[in-house]
Every structure is written in C-alpha cells, then in structure tokens.
Amino acid sequence: MTTRTDDTLDLNDWLHQGLSEEEAVRRLQANGYNELPSSRGHNLLEVVLEVLREPMFLMLLACGVIYFFMGREHWGDALILMGFVVLIIGITVVQEWRTEKALTALKDLSSPRSLVLRDGRRRRIAGREVVAGDLMWVVEGDRIPADAVVRQALNLTVDESLLTGEAMPVRKGATDGRVERIRPGGEDLPFLFSGTLVTQGQGVAEVVATGKGTELGKIGQSLMELSSENTPLQRETGRLVTLMAMVGLTLCVVLVVVYGLSRGNTPAAWQQGVLAGIATAMAVLPEEFPVILTIFLAFGAWRIAQKQVLTRRMPAIETLGAATVLCVDKTGTLTQNRMTVRQLWSWQTGETCDCAVAEQQDLPEAFHILIEYAILASRQDPFDPMEKALQALGASRLEGTEHLHPDWRLLREYPLSRKLLALSQVWRTADWQQRVVAAKGAPEAIADLCHLSDAEREVLDRQVVAMAAQGLRMLGVARSVLPAQGALPEDQHTLDFELLGVVGWEDPLRPTVPAAIAECYRAGIRVIMITGDYPGTAVHIARQAGMTDTREVITGGELVAMDDATLAERIARVNIFARVVPEQKLRIVLALRAIGQVVAMTGDGVNDAPALKAAHIGIAMGGRGTDVAREAADLVLLDDDFASIVRAVRLGRRIYDNIRKAIAYVLAVHVPIVGLAMTPILLLDMPLLLLPVHIVFLEMIIDPACSIIFEAEPEEPGIMERPPRSPDERLFGLSSIGLSLLQGVVVLGVLWTILGLGYAWGHSENAVRAGVFTTMVVANLFLILTNRSWQRTLIAILRVPNPAMVWVVGSVALFLTLVLTLPFLSELFHFDPMHGPDLLACLVAGVVAILWFELLKAVRGERLRFPGIRALPAKF
C-alpha cells in the first residue's frame, strides 16, 4: 500500500493561501460555530406541570390530598398515591431528557477535527471552528466536518450512508468552478457532506456550508420542528377518566348535601355525609386507570426488552398493535449493511460461481486467479466495504495457495478518472523477475482497457445484464504482465491487459426477514420499502424478502414532480420507493398518515430520523444505527433483527387486548362499590356500609394487583391471524361497556341480597357489613377470573397458567382472613366475627354473581368479543 501524505496533492496557485485568520474569525463571528442549534429543553418544573395537566394524574393527586386531610391514620394511603404521582412524573422526565438527546447526538456527530489551510499554512482545528471558504484536506478515515465542494481528488470515495442509507461508497470528482449544490448520492459528484466518512483516497475541498446550512443541519432542523402526539389509547382513557371524574365529584357533592339534610341537619349527620361523599367519590374516581396503564406499559417495556427491543416511549408499545403499514429501509434493515462477494464469473472458462452455495467446494483455478487479481487491484488494509469483502474471500478461499502475495511491493497506482472508471496497481514480484499490473473497475471500462472486440463485448454485456438482474454490484478484473525493468507508461490505457472476469457483490438479506414479512402479511400489516438505492436493486431485494406486488416502483425523481393528491392515490398500492432523499422519506410517512394508516417506520441512519419521529411508531436499529436515529425513535432493535419487529407487534396486540380486559373488569367492579356507597342514601334508616378504609382495601390492594394479573395474561389464540384494529376504533364500544356494567349490576344485586338476608336473620350492623364486604371481595376475585377472557369459559381459563393470579388470590385471601380474625383489624374495618355458614354463603354468592356471564360465553362462544377483534375458536 502506498503511503499518502498531505503533500501528495498539489494545490493550484489560486488555492495556495486559503483564508486569512482574520477573515476566518470574522466569518465565525458573523455565522456562528459549525454546529447544530439546540432547541431549548424543558426544565424540570415545566415537565412536572405538563404531566399534572393530564386528568388521570390530577385524579391521583386529588385522591392523595383527600386521604391526607382525612387524618393521620390515612396518611399512609396518601403517601402511596403520591408515590404513584412521583413515579409517573419521573418516567416522563426521563423520556423528555432522552428525546432531546437526538439533537445533542447530531451536534457531536457534526464536529470532528479538520485540517485546513489558513494564511498559507496547514492547521488542524476543531470541526466546529470551520467556516465557509476554508480549504480543507481530507484523507482516508476522515469524518467530513462541513459541506464542501471538491477542488482536487485522488481516488476519493466517501461513505454517505449516514445521509442516503446506502452502504456503497461513492466516487468523488473535482471541479475548479462554481457549481450548484445538489443532494447526497450519485457517482463522480464534486460535493462532500458533513458527517460522511472518507473510505479511500484523498482530496482538497472548499467549505460551502456549515452548521444548520449543511444537509445534516437541515435534517436536524426538521427533527426539531416535529412533535409527538398522544396515542389513541392515551386520548381515550383521558376522556374516560375526565368523564368519570366529573361524575364522581358531582355525586360526592350531591351525596354530602342529601345525607346531611335528610338526617336531621346535625353536625353528626354532616360528618357522616362527608364520609359517604368521599367514599362514593373514591369509588367512582378511576385512579386505577393510570395505575393500569403505567403497570401494563412498564411491564410491556420489560417484556419487549427480553425480545431485544428497547422501549424509549412506552405508549408506542400498545400502538404497535394497531400498525397497518411498516415502512422499512432496505440497507441495514432488510439487509445486513455489509458487502459480500456473491458471484464470480470467469472470462477464460465462461463459468459462474455462486459464493453463497459453494463455500465447501473447491474453486477452479480460473476463479483463484480472478480473486487474486481483484485483491491486487485493492488496498491491503482497506476502508472500502467491497475491498474488505474481497480480503475476507481471499483469506477464506486462497489461504495456503500461491495466489496471496503479502511480500510483493506496490510500485505505482493508476487512479480512476471520469474518462476511465478503472484503477490499476503495479506490483513488483518477490523474486524481482517481473512486474504485475492488476486492474478493476466498471465492466465497460475494463472491456475498454482489454480492447475487446464487438463480439467479446457482447458476451461480457450479457453476463453483466444477468448479474445486474440479481441486484449485484459488479467490477471487472484484468491483468497485465510487464518486464522487471523499463519505464512505466503515463496512461494505463496503453498497457496490454487480459480480461479475467467479473466479481459481483451484494448486501445480503437478513435470514430472518422473509419469515418476518410473511407474518406481517398474515397479521394484515402492509410492508413498504423506502430506499435510496436503485430501483432494480430494490425490486430484487423486495422479491428475495417475499414482499408482494413489486411490479410498481416510485423513484425520488417522480416524487418531486408528484403532487400530494397523486401521491395519496398511488401510495395506496405501490410498495417500493427507490432513490429517495430524507425529505421524501418524511413525505411518504406523512402521506400514509394522511390516508388513515397507522405507520411504523424502521431505519438506522441520520437520514431516517425525521421520518422515525413523524411515524406513529419509529423503530431504529440499535447495532448499526446512528445515535440520532436511536434517539428519535420510539423503539430500538438491540440486535438489528427485523424479526424482532414482528415479536414486538405481537406483544403490542397482547398488551392492548389485556388493557381492555383490565378496564372491563374495572368498570364492572366499580358498579357494586358505587352502589354500596349510595345505598344509605336510598335507604334513610341504614348506616354507611362502605367506609373509606374499605375503599382503600378494594382499590389499593385488589385493583392494582388485578392489573398485574391481566398484564401477565397470555395472548389470545390466533392473535397474529387477525387484521390490525381500526385507528378509529374506540377502546370500548357501547356493547362492551354495557356487558361490563351488567356484570357489575348483577354483583350489586347479589350484594343487596346478602344485605337483606343479613338483616332478616337478625345480624348486627357490623356483622352485616362484614358479610357484604366479604361477598364483595369474593365476587371481585371471580370478576377477575371471568374477564381474563371473553371467549373462553372459566374452566378453560383455569387451564391457562397465570402465576400472578395465584399470588393475588393468595394475598387477598390471607389479608381478608386477618381482617376477619384479628380483633384490632376487625375493629378498624368495623366488623363483627363471622361464622362458617356465613363464610360459605358469601363464597357461593360470589360464584353465583358471575355464572350468567359464563353461560353467555358458553352459548355465544366466539361471537362474544370486544368490538373490532375477530375472535377465533378456542383451542381448549
């Protein structure tokens, strides 16, 4: 390998001075540092106030305050509720902090070191101090600090995947005049872009844009302008909580006034009225909802992390279950983002070798020579991914043969140019007997070097077309042998080359992708490829991946000329978008959203960040992805495995189903609690049945525990065989609410029966209260069981293990036993001791309360379901 220094390139006279230090300082003061502007982050107080504006959090806070003012004996309960408030605020603060790290990542990425020319001298400065007009040297391995136009180049290639998403480095040409700036991507263009990486060669470039004026800066600006929105689940639960809060507070006021006035208008009556009002408000106020959502989404984030998916924004987990479109970037998402040699074609024999299926076979000698000279035409320690793949192939297939030459000396390199897209390297053999020239380049350029006849060109062209149809990147390889002595010609075209063949590279498909895409289709999720690569390559990869309807392709050029109405019409059927730029990815996502699709977007580059943030669910690749993509996304695939997306969708659907089950239970159980709290108002001669301590027991022990049970509930059969739920679907329709409320009404009727029987049998007030409360707890547990599934009967449900159910039932039974048997707890709950027959009656009553619903499930079977979910026959 040649040793390249900063003196390898000579500057023209008009470039020999560069900017003066005085002028550079003036421009820095006028235009600012070469870095991205940071958006003003929310301070802690602003984040807390934003959280507290949500109705569900206000209800938690209100309940905590109520408990606090009820007296010292209730301060423990108040602290528990306040603990939930602090927990939720803490989670929100962390998410806010992590989201704003996206712009910080962009800033760090855009400020590498740079070698510039100032006052005729070369200086290495911080990238943030580079100004427009600076002349900078770039060499292999450098990160470009600003957008620039290339003035001189020697074999200069740059990896622009950060901006285009494509793993293939592109060649850079030079210009000595003014040229109009264009987008990243394309060969032989005289532009360098901030954040990209030099993979080969060296050059001199004039800076034309810094900071937010660069292509990287424009992406950062668009990222700042996008804002996230609440998920449908958040919006609907917010509405439901607000409605129930208004009902609860209204009932509280009404009950206090009615109780006080109807009981003689005495201080004792008003005191009892306040207790009745507080108990009723606590029974109606749905403080369980934020608890349920927090537990479900927190546990969902933990479960999904076990499947190698990091959750950055927890509500996105349940939104996954509604995803109708999955937009995927080809490079690094469907493919492995690494070049491998896939196919070899020998000119001598006309044979083709598929490297993917011939790993264990002996290669014919013609292929040995082809690989040998392809390596000789490459650098010994390359940055270029294609040359790295050649080195890896040579190490695995030529080790121990005479075709590897670590002891040969490189004498000269003939660089590629716009006139001839081929480069050659001249080597002296170890015995100094001859010089060998190895050339590689575009097949048509190699054909020109080898002076092929028209008939020979036709043979080569047919092979190139056949390999291009497979989505391969190709280079022709040739060789020439020279005497040991003699001057080397100035032009490689005058050498006598012999064609050896063609090498084809591919960015291989991830092995798990076809099965994952097939499962997406079964789940009713459409897959769309959005890539900066060529249409032919995109179509080939799409077919390999098993994508359907790959006949139509929309290119970036077509998108520019397409209005929004035309895009909305075509986007409904086109699944492949090729040669697109970052702003167009964002436009595609927004167009899908505009036609009512729930969009999940995957990506790994800086170019993907705006689209990731604009999508309903942004999914970044964690291994190969950039910090910017990961920070802008809602989910991060830690193992870069596309199949993890499908597992996340499955979990998202399960979480949403289980949230519905939990809320169905909560609505049902609130009916008997509210009914018992209001019974003394309806029957003027009856004392209060439920006191705040009873509500605390029911809502702060059983209800949060039930959230754990429903969160741990396994998925329903066939969960990935049904279409996504409609984006407009309500969390609960009228029929679902009606069934839930009917469950509660039946339980309330059973409790009133126990109440009447207790007084009829002559039990004391505290004994009746103990019997009613015990029946309420038993019925509560059976409501949990029956709502674990609206398709399976209780017997089938009990066959499905749920460890959390065992834990909750055991804990509640133990605590209830302690309350009924320990005198100080019985006194706290205002209970009298209960006897065996009474306990048995309570148990039977609790079972009877849910029998009708079990009979309904048995009769209606799969037809009894939540709206929008196509139920499947049970497998039990």
Side-chain angles (χ1 to χ4, degrees):
M1 178 178 176
T2 55
T3 300
R4 300 189 310 283
T5 68
D6 293 335
D7 299 318
T8 307
L9 291 172
D10 295 323
L11 294 175
N12 295 329
D13 291 340
W14 62 282
L15 293 175
H16 74 287
Q17 286 294 322
L19 290 178
S20 67
E21 283 291 344
E22 181 180 349
E23 176 64 15
V25 170
R26 188 188 69 80
R27 294 188 182 188
L28 189 64
Q29 292 174 342
N31 301 319
Y33 285 106
N34 176 34
E35 59 189 13
L36 298 180
S38 298
S39 60
R40 188 184 71 86
H42 294 161
N43 60 42
L44 179 62
L45 179 59
E46 289 174 329
V47 174
V48 172
L49 291 177
E50 190 172 317
V51 172
L52 292 180
R53 291 191 189 104
E54 295 293 330
M56 62 179 65
F57 300 136
L58 284 173
M59 292 304 99
L60 273 178
L61 188 60
C63 288
V65 172
I66 289 172
Y67 278 123
F68 181 80
F69 283 106
M70 285 176 61
R72 184 182 300 272
E73 65 273 14
H74 296 288
W75 285 3
D77 303 313
L79 290 176
I80 292 175
L81 282 175
M82 294 302 183
F84 279 117
V85 172
V86 172
L87 174 63
I88 295 169
I89 291 175
I91 292 173
T92 305
V93 170
V94 170
Q95 297 303 319
E96 178 81 14
W97 171 73
R98 295 182 67 180
T99 298
E100 295 194 1
K101 282 183 63 181
L103 291 175
T104 303
L106 271 170
K107 181 189 292 187
D108 294 342
L109 188 61
S110 63
S111 187
R113 304 288 292 178
S114 181
L115 183 66
V116 299
L117 184 68
R118 298 264 179 94
D119 288 328
R121 294 181 293 109
R122 299 177 190 179
R123 291 187 51 205
R124 190 166 295 278
I125 62 175
R128 67 193 299 266
E129 297 176 3
V130 169
V131 297
D134 263 329
L135 290 176
M136 60 180 181
W137 273 259
V138 293
V139 296
E140 185 175 290
D142 280 354
R143 182 75 68 180
I144 306 298
D147 287 5
V149 59
V150 180
R151 296 307 184 189
Q152 290 192 357
L154 179 64
N155 288 341
L156 185 61
T157 63
V158 178
D159 177 2
E160 295 182 345
S161 62
L162 198 69
L163 295 171
T164 65
E166 298 310 312
M168 189 70 182
V170 293
R171 296 185 304 272
K172 294 296 178 181
T175 180
D176 57 4
R178 291 289 176 185
V179 288
E180 185 178 352
R181 289 177 63 191
I182 59 174
R183 301 290 188 187
E187 300 284 356
D188 297 314
L189 299 176
F191 291 100
L192 303 177
F193 298 97
S194 176
T196 59
L197 179 68
V198 179
T199 60
Q200 182 175 302
Q202 56 185 309
V204 178
E206 180 184 357
V207 176
V208 295
T210 61
K212 64 181 180 181
T214 64
E215 290 298 312
L216 190 65
K218 293 175 183 176
I219 294 175
Q221 287 292 105
S222 64
L223 194 62
M224 290 172 60
E225 294 167 2
L226 293 171
S227 60
S228 301
E229 63 179 28
N230 289 336
T231 67
L233 178 63
Q234 289 175 310
R235 293 194 295 270
E236 188 163 353
T237 52
R239 288 193 295 265
L240 193 56
V241 166
T242 301
L243 176 61
M244 294 185 69
M246 292 174 61
V247 172
L249 293 176
T250 301
L251 281 177
C252 177
V253 174
V254 170
L255 287 178
V256 170
V257 173
V258 171
Y259 197 98
L261 294 178
S262 64
R263 301 301 173 97
N265 197 20
T266 63
W270 283 105
Q271 183 181 10
Q272 289 296 311
V274 170
L275 287 176
I278 291 176
T280 303
M282 291 169 58
V284 176
L285 294 181
E287 65 267 20
E288 304 94 346
F289 283 5
V291 173
I292 288 173
L293 293 181
T294 300
I295 290 175
F296 272 65
L297 297 181
F299 272 80
W302 174 77
R303 292 183 189 279
I304 206 171
Q306 308 307 305
K307 302 181 185 299
Q308 299 301 304
V309 180
L310 173 66
T311 303
R312 294 196 60 257
R313 199 169 68 92
M314 288 194 292
I317 298 174
E318 58 86 13
T319 309
L320 272 174
T324 59
V325 176
L326 179 57
C327 295
V328 298
D329 184 67
K330 177 184 71 67
T331 305
T333 305
L334 296 179
T335 66
Q336 300 178 29
N337 197 21
R338 63 178 181 87
M339 302 303 293
T340 61
V341 179
R342 171 61 186 270
Q343 196 172 99
L344 304 171
W345 177 71
S346 170
W347 171 260
Q348 297 175 4
T349 65
E351 295 178 316
T352 299
C353 173
D354 190 332
C355 298
V357 299
E359 293 184 358
Q360 305 303 323
Q361 302 174 6
D362 292 333
L363 293 179
E365 184 64 22
F367 294 120
H368 285 197
I369 297 173
L370 176 61
I371 299 172
E372 172 188 2
Y373 278 85
I375 293 175
L376 287 173
S378 306
R379 301 197 179 277
Q380 290 179 316
D381 55 346
F383 267 71
D384 184 272
M386 294 175 70
E387 293 188 346
K388 285 183 176 180
L390 276 174
Q391 294 280 5
L393 181 65
S396 64
R397 305 311 293 269
L398 301 183
E399 185 177 6
T401 70
E402 71 278 8
H403 296 286
L404 294 179
H405 310 287
D407 53 349
W408 286 14
R409 179 186 174 192
L410 181 63
L411 299 179
R412 178 170 180 175
E413 178 179 359
Y414 291 99
L416 55 82
S417 64
R418 291 186 180 181
K419 294 181 179 179
L420 187 64
L421 297 179
L423 62 86
S424 302
Q425 295 196 145
V426 184
W427 298 86
R428 185 188 298 279
T429 60
D431 58 10
W432 291 64
Q433 294 301 307
Q434 60 183 1
R435 291 173 294 178
V436 171
V437 185
K440 67 179 175 68
E444 62 273 17
I446 295 298
D448 186 18
L449 278 180
C450 296
H451 306 290
L452 298 184
S453 65
D454 291 343
E456 291 172 327
R457 282 178 178 268
E458 186 176 346
V459 173
L460 177 61
D461 289 344
R462 283 199 302 268
Q463 182 60 35
V464 169
V465 170
M467 296 175 72
Q470 301 176 55
L472 302 180
R473 304 289 181 91
M474 292 161 289
L475 290 179
V477 180
R479 70 173 176 180
S480 180
V481 179
L482 303 176
Q485 302 297 325
L488 293 171
E490 290 300 318
D491 187 357
Q492 60 179 322
H493 199 274
T494 61
L495 295 171
D496 184 19
F497 279 100
E498 170 194 2
L499 179 62
L500 297 178
V502 178
V503 180
W505 285 261
E506 72 170 355
D507 185 2
L509 192 72
R510 293 181 181 275
T512 57
V513 164
I517 287 183
E519 189 164 2
C520 284
Y521 288 148
R522 290 195 298 273
I525 301 173
R526 179 182 170 202
V527 180
I528 293 178
M529 179 193 294
I530 305 176
T531 178
D533 210 338
Y534 292 96
T537 304
V539 169
H540 177 74
I541 292 296
R543 289 173 177 168
Q544 275 190 315
M547 289 178 58
T548 58
D549 198 1
T550 59
R551 292 168 295 178
E552 285 192 75
V553 179
I554 295 179
T555 64
E558 293 173 324
L559 271 177
V560 171
M562 195 177 295
D563 59 30
D564 291 341
T566 304
L567 177 59
E569 186 272 328
R570 294 197 63 190
I571 205 171
R573 65 176 186 272
V574 177
N575 294 326
I576 301 176
F577 291 80
R579 303 301 290 168
V580 299
V581 296
E583 290 82 354
Q584 292 173 330
K585 290 187 177 186
L586 177 59
R587 186 185 176 197
I588 292 168
V589 170
L590 295 178
L592 287 167
R593 292 188 55 152
I595 62 174
Q597 301 296 316
V598 178
V599 184
M601 165 78 185
T602 70
D604 61 357
V606 172
N607 61 306
D608 297 322
L612 288 173
K613 193 169 183 180
H616 293 96
I617 311 108
I619 308 172
M621 297 299 180
R624 289 181 170 85
T626 61
D627 287 342
V628 177
R630 288 192 289 268
E631 292 301 328
D634 302 302
L635 305 174
V636 179
L637 302 185
L638 299 178
D639 58 359
D640 285 5
D641 188 349
F642 183 80
S644 296
I645 299 173
V646 181
R647 293 192 289 268
V649 170
R650 177 187 293 270
L651 184 58
R653 291 189 174 191
R654 168 189 162 184
I655 289 172
Y656 192 83
D657 285 356
N658 290 344
I659 286 176
R660 283 182 133 171
K661 296 172 184 177
I663 293 179
Y665 159 75
V666 169
L667 289 176
V669 80
H670 268 265
V671 172
I673 296 176
V674 173
L676 288 179
M678 294 181 62
T679 298
I681 307 300
L682 302 175
L683 303 174
L684 297 181
D685 59 344
M686 182 174 293
L688 295 177
L689 290 174
L690 288 184
L691 300 173
V693 67
H694 304 132
I695 308 296
V696 170
F697 181 91
L698 291 171
E699 301 212 10
M700 299 309 298
I701 297 179
I702 297 178
D703 291 352
C706 292
S707 301
I708 298 174
I709 289 176
F710 288 114
E711 191 284 325
E713 187 64 20
E715 66 192 44
E716 295 282 354
I719 195 170
M720 292 297 284
E721 304 294 331
R722 70 191 190 205
R725 68 180 187 271
S726 169
D728 299 325
E729 178 191 330
R730 303 297 296 268
L731 181 67
F732 255 67
L734 291 178
S735 60
S736 301
I737 292 176
L739 279 174
S740 295
L741 295 180
L742 185 56
Q743 291 182 59
V745 168
V746 172
V747 172
L748 178 59
V750 170
L751 294 177
W752 277 342
T753 302
I754 294 295
L755 176 65
L757 290 176
Y759 280 116
W761 292 341
H763 292 323
S764 66
E765 174 185 317
N766 284 351
V768 171
R769 182 181 288 115
V772 171
F773 184 79
T774 302
T775 305
M776 177 68 210
V777 172
V778 173
N780 199 343
L781 293 177
F782 277 102
L783 279 175
I784 298 169
L785 280 171
T786 195
N787 280 286
R788 282 180 58 191
S789 175
W790 279 26
Q791 284 78 53
R792 300 190 302 269
T793 61
L794 188 60
I795 295 175
I797 291 173
L798 291 174
R799 294 175 181 171
V800 179
N802 189 325
M805 186 72 203
V806 177
W807 180 83
V808 169
V809 171
S811 299
V812 173
L814 175 62
F815 193 80
L816 182 60
T817 301
L818 295 176
V819 168
L820 295 175
T821 56
L822 296 181
F824 78 93
L825 287 178
S826 296
E827 183 178 351
L828 176 65
F829 276 74
H830 302 276
F831 289 167
D832 283 346
M834 293 185 64
H835 306 291
D838 297 327
L839 291 173
L840 180 60
C842 294
L843 179 62
V844 172
V847 175
V848 170
I850 57 97
L851 279 181
W852 71 273
F853 192 62
E854 289 300 307
L855 292 174
L856 183 63
K857 287 194 286 185
V859 171
R860 299 191 62 182
E862 66 178 53
R863 292 176 295 168
L864 183 62
R865 60 186 184 272
F866 289 109
I869 294 182
R870 177 170 56 85
L872 297 174
K875 296 183 179 180
F876 301 97

